[in-house]
Amino acid sequence: MANDKLDASPDKDLPRYSLRVSVRAKRMQLKVNHWGKVEVVVPRNVSIAHVAPFVHRHREWLERTLAQVQGVRDDPIAANSLSPEKVNLLALDEEWELSYRQGVGSHCRITTGHEGQRRLLIETVDGTTAHLALQSWLHDYARQCLPPWLRRVSEECQLPFTGVSVRAQKTRWGSCSSRGRINLNRHIIFLPPHLARYIMVHELCHTVHLNHSRRYWTLVERFVPDFEHCESELRLAARYIPLWACPE
């Protein structure tokens, strides 16, 4: 089911935000992505007139979250991370050492160092192509690692799905179609393992209830008893994602 995207022009006392009218949403939601862009998700049966008061009520949380996101972006380590020396994939408990070399074309070569140390050699023409090569490696590696993990969680929970895709989504950690096909955000591999697993459980439960009803959350709670804490953590989980990994 498609969602309607609308531009919004809030009053001057609020940060600029966009609207997304969703046929699946049961309540209004306020989201802040990795770049500090604000989105309000509005159920189709809710009047747009309710949006500004809703944002006003959550203004304190919004300003605090935007400040935290900006703090990550202003961090000197993060600011210089378009060509990182190391990549930490928390979900996989892996640390990669990166090195760069000027060459012809653009490619990444994986090598194994001392005691199984993971190394990635990026050979490109310049810094821009190095950044693109690194993003390409990230996408391919996430596609290699996340689907098998989802299958293991699916078997553990006995919640089958029909297919899986890994994408560079900007605002969602995952989604599930009415046919039981699941999309996962490649950035999941940067998250702590318990959050990565929670996202998978969250989407697998949508194969049973394609909504956020009471029955849906009861099912989620069966597999993740502290799901509310996980939901709270996910609101600020963008801090785990390095700037180089974010799509334009």
Side-chain angles (χ1 to χ4, degrees):
M1 296 183 181
N3 293 326
D4 300 324
K5 295 183 178 180
L6 305 171
D7 291 328
S9 300
D11 63 61
K12 61 182 180 180
D13 294 327
L14 291 174
R16 184 168 182 81
Y17 57 81
S18 62
L19 300 180
R20 177 160 57 88
V21 180
S22 171
V23 296
R24 291 176 54 184
K26 298 299 182 182
R27 63 184 186 278
M28 283 195 288
Q29 301 174 58
L30 193 57
K31 298 184 177 183
V32 179
N33 71 10
H34 325 312
W35 306 274
K37 294 181 179 179
V38 181
E39 179 186 62
V40 182
V41 181
V42 185
R44 178 154 288 181
N45 61 347
V46 173
S47 171
I48 300 302
H50 294 298
V51 172
F54 172 78
V55 177
H56 270 288
R57 288 197 302 273
H58 294 84
R59 179 176 177 176
E60 183 177 341
W61 175 88
L62 178 57
E63 291 178 345
R64 183 171 65 251
T65 302
L66 286 172
Q68 290 173 325
V69 171
Q70 189 60 45
V72 172
R73 292 177 61 87
D74 289 343
D75 184 276
I77 296 177
N80 295 315
S81 65
L82 293 183
S83 298
E85 296 180 356
K86 290 185 178 181
V87 172
N88 291 308
L89 305 178
L90 294 179
L92 307 176
D93 192 25
E94 294 180 1
E95 181 178 86
W96 290 73
E97 286 197 359
L98 276 60
S99 58
Y100 302 84
R101 185 170 68 190
Q102 188 170 6
V104 178
S106 173
H107 68 273
C108 299
R109 187 168 73 227
I110 297 174
T111 60
T112 302
H114 181 62
E115 295 182 351
Q117 187 178 43
R118 295 175 174 84
R119 293 179 178 174
L120 187 66
L121 173 63
I122 301 174
E123 186 171 357
T124 57
V125 177
D126 53 34
T128 300
T129 52
H131 181 207
L132 294 176
L134 184 54
Q135 285 211 2
S136 179
W137 168 81
L138 169 69
H139 195 79
D140 291 342
Y141 197 58
R143 290 179 64 188
Q144 175 184 331
C145 298
L146 292 178
W149 191 354
L150 179 67
R151 284 192 284 273
R152 292 194 297 271
V153 177
S154 170
E155 293 172 1
E156 173 191 340
C157 300
Q158 297 186 352
L159 294 172
F161 60 97
T162 60
V164 57
S165 300
V166 176
R167 299 179 179 178
Q169 295 166 296
K170 291 186 176 182
T171 58
R172 291 185 175 186
W173 291 109
S175 61
C176 179
S177 74
S178 58
R179 296 184 177 181
R181 184 173 184 85
I182 291 176
N183 295 317
L184 296 176
N185 192 319
R186 70 185 187 190
H187 295 154
I188 289 173
I189 62 176
F190 290 111
L191 302 183
H194 72 283
L195 288 183
R197 179 183 179 277
Y198 170 67
I199 292 169
M200 294 179 188
V201 170
H202 184 107
E203 299 308 332
L204 286 168
C205 288
H206 277 311
T207 63
V208 180
H209 303 291
L210 198 60
N211 52 46
H212 288 104
S213 63
R214 185 184 299 273
R215 288 189 300 171
Y216 167 79
W217 290 115
T218 298
L219 182 61
V220 171
E221 188 174 23
R222 181 189 307 174
F223 306 112
V224 185
D226 63 339
F227 76 90
E228 291 181 335
H229 181 67
C230 291
E231 283 287 323
S232 179
E233 285 188 87
L234 280 177
R235 295 189 185 101
L236 294 176
R239 68 183 185 275
Y240 294 109
I241 304 173
L243 293 183
W244 65 263
C246 299
E248 296 297 331

